[in-house]
Amino acid sequence: MKKTFLAFMCLLTLTVTAQPTTSKITIHADQGKKVINKEIYGQFAEHLGSCIYGGIWVGEKSPIPNTKGYRNDVLNALKQLNIPVLRWPGGCFADEYHWMDGIGAREKRPKMVNNNWGGVVEDNSFGTNEFFNLCEILGCEPYLSGNVGSGTVEEMAKWVEYITSAGDSPMANLRRQNGREKPWKLKYIGVGNESWGCGGSMTPDYYSDLYRRYSTYCREYDGNKLFKIASGASDYDYKWTETLMKNVGDRMQGLSLHYYTCKGWNGSKGSATKFDKADYLWTMGKCLEIEPVVKKHIAIMDKYDPQQKVGLMVDEWGTWWDQEPGINSALYQQNTMRDAFVAALSLNIFNKYTDRVKMTNIAQVVNVLQAMILTEGPKMLLTPTYHVFEMYKVHMGATYLPMDIQCDSLASNDKKFAAVSASASKDANGKIHITLANIDPDKDQKIEIDLANIKIGNVSGTILTANTLDAHNTFENPATVQPVAFKGTKVSKGVLTVNIPAKAIISLELTTGK
Ligand code: AHR
């Protein structure tokens, strides 16, 4: 009898909680002042697992269809994202990478051991020329991560000369011998990576001095302007940021920050696909914690640099789960709707801090961590995270529109957070784009959006959702999670009402009139 009553109460609770809640968003469409840096939508490719080899590069002789060694399917998918910037060659790999091993005739390049990532043999067949040519094909800025941990100042100086010098200089001539007459353009250069850890286990004071020394010799050849990025803090290491800002100041144009949505660095990080609702909510809370973390780093930067000359570059972020069982490729993980939410929430946050956050690079582009793309031999699939990037790309370079949100909250352990996350921008043609995520796993939301005095014309949209939070795409079923047209909007008396289902991400496009 007791049991029946309890079951009835549970059913009642479920029925009651399944009712849509009404949330309100006010978009201050007339108050847009800052531009969303397109580099916030940046990517990262490391010599790790099958990101480069097998994922991007298969070599010219591969039976996998390729263009000069780059696989065609991956190139085409990446072109769709309009990638603004690609970081390479690491990560931890960067501080053991000696660029001269990766130039010249491929069959003559020396091999090395990739000590950071499984001790596999790296044959250096993908090197500087292959990376810069890839960026040209993708139309993105290259972001080079230089070796401070185990490399010399001379090595880094010559790398910049090899890439950017147009003159009759030794390194420019070496580049010409390797088949490239014209220099490439290089804007972003990272001076070391995680120099507190895999990049040399340094103290912030010691690294500050090394930064000053190495960056001095990164010369600007023939009109090439460098944007130098110092290796920054991980997560909550505010002391690192404080020391670098104090010691280096505006000798750097950017200071990096790494933040992973991850259970910790020791032991299991949890399965990418097998999780329950409590794990999901924990993930949302941990992901959203990036906002106070970013704010604290920004507050320190503001103290030393009120004019915002130095950018905060979140050049590694995303989810980090246990490696997929049965797959022999370091840090290869599946990607579900849960990961899609981490992408959507993070990008909404980064847009908000665009005046200081000049770039972010999700880790990583193919086959590693929160990837856009997974490959298996000749097969390729697009992950839910890829679809979020495609739905959000409309914000790149658009004017950020501030907003206020009133909505339900969710909780995980001691954390309480909003069930709805959103971002809005206005593009050069006057179109407004709104990205919305309803992270509530059970409740639909009715969201009333007020755009101040803007007259709303046509509204169209795309939705990414699935029946379950662990839904993901496989090589057998690559289209389980994919965006479809969204019809749940209505405009009445100047208010846009959006009926967003539980666990869904939406991108809306609005034409506006007077
Ligand atoms: O992205 C994987 C690794 O995470 C990078 O190599 C390193 O910088 C970070 O610890």
Side-chain angles (χ1 to χ4, degrees), residues 44 46 48 87 90-93 117 193-194 196 198 258 260 265 316 320 331 363-364 368-369:
F44 171 31
E46 179 166 7
L48 193 181
R87 180 174 185 244
C92 295
F93 179 78
W117 304 116
N193 167 72
E194 296 196 348
W196 40 264
C198 65
H258 291 179
Y260 283 99
W265 300 111
E316 288 187 28
W320 193 321
L331 306 196
Q364 300 192 7
V368 169
L369 299 176

Side-chain angles (χ1 to χ4, degrees), residues 279-300:
D279 294 326
Y280 165 76
L281 289 174
W282 177 87
T283 307
M284 297 301 103
K286 173 73 182 171
C287 162
L288 288 164
E289 202 172 281
I290 198 171
E291 181 163 10
V293 169
V294 159
K295 272 170 88 172
K296 277 196 190 170
H297 286 283
I298 290 178
I300 297 166

Side-chain angles (χ1 to χ4, degrees), residues 24-84:
K24 288 196 189 323
I25 297 183
T26 307
I27 298 180
H28 305 286
D30 48 351
Q31 288 176 28
K33 287 195 185 71
K34 44 195 191 183
V35 165
I36 298 177
N37 299 306
K38 61 180 188 324
E39 289 80 5
I40 283 177
Y41 292 78
Q43 299 284 339
F44 171 31
E46 179 166 7
H47 288 237
L48 193 181
S50 46
C51 181
I52 299 288
Y53 300 110
I56 294 173
W57 178 257
V58 285
E60 283 155 348
K61 294 186 189 134
S62 170
I64 297 176
N66 68 83
T67 304
K68 296 187 175 160
Y70 311 98
R71 48 189 298 168
N72 290 345
D73 50 359
V74 171
L75 280 185
N76 290 336
L78 293 181
K79 278 183 193 163
Q80 269 301 108
L81 292 184
N82 302 344
I83 293 178

Side-chain angles (χ1 to χ4, degrees), residues 275-383:
F275 55 88
D276 59 20
K277 211 185 276 183
D279 294 326
Y280 165 76
L281 289 174
W282 177 87
T283 307
M284 297 301 103
K286 173 73 182 171
C287 162
L288 288 164
E289 202 172 281
I290 198 171
E291 181 163 10
V293 169
V294 159
K295 272 170 88 172
K296 277 196 190 170
H297 286 283
I298 290 178
I300 297 166
M301 295 174 86
D302 285 348
K303 195 164 84 181
Y304 293 91
D305 173 34
Q307 290 174 313
Q308 299 183 318
K309 287 189 193 153
V310 182
L312 182 62
M313 324 297 275
V314 189
D315 60 15
E316 288 187 28
W317 65 273
T319 57
W320 193 321
W321 311 118
D322 288 342
Q323 190 170 314
E324 198 63 18
I327 304 244
N328 186 19
S329 176
L331 306 196
Y332 180 102
Q333 65 188 39
Q334 249 298 355
N335 195 296
T336 66
M337 270 308 289
R338 175 174 64 166
D339 298 86
F341 281 110
V342 170
L345 305 186
S346 305
L347 293 170
N348 284 343
I349 292 169
F350 297 146
N351 285 347
K352 190 166 160 190
Y353 296 93
T354 185
D355 42 5
R356 183 65 88 170
V357 177
K358 300 286 180 212
M359 183 198 291
T360 90
N361 309 76
I362 188 170
Q364 300 192 7
V365 69
V366 187
N367 290 337
V368 169
L369 299 176
Q370 194 178 346
M372 305 297 115
I373 292 173
L374 299 177
T375 65
E376 186 186 76
K379 296 185 223 154
M380 181 202 83
L381 65 81
L382 306 176
T383 66

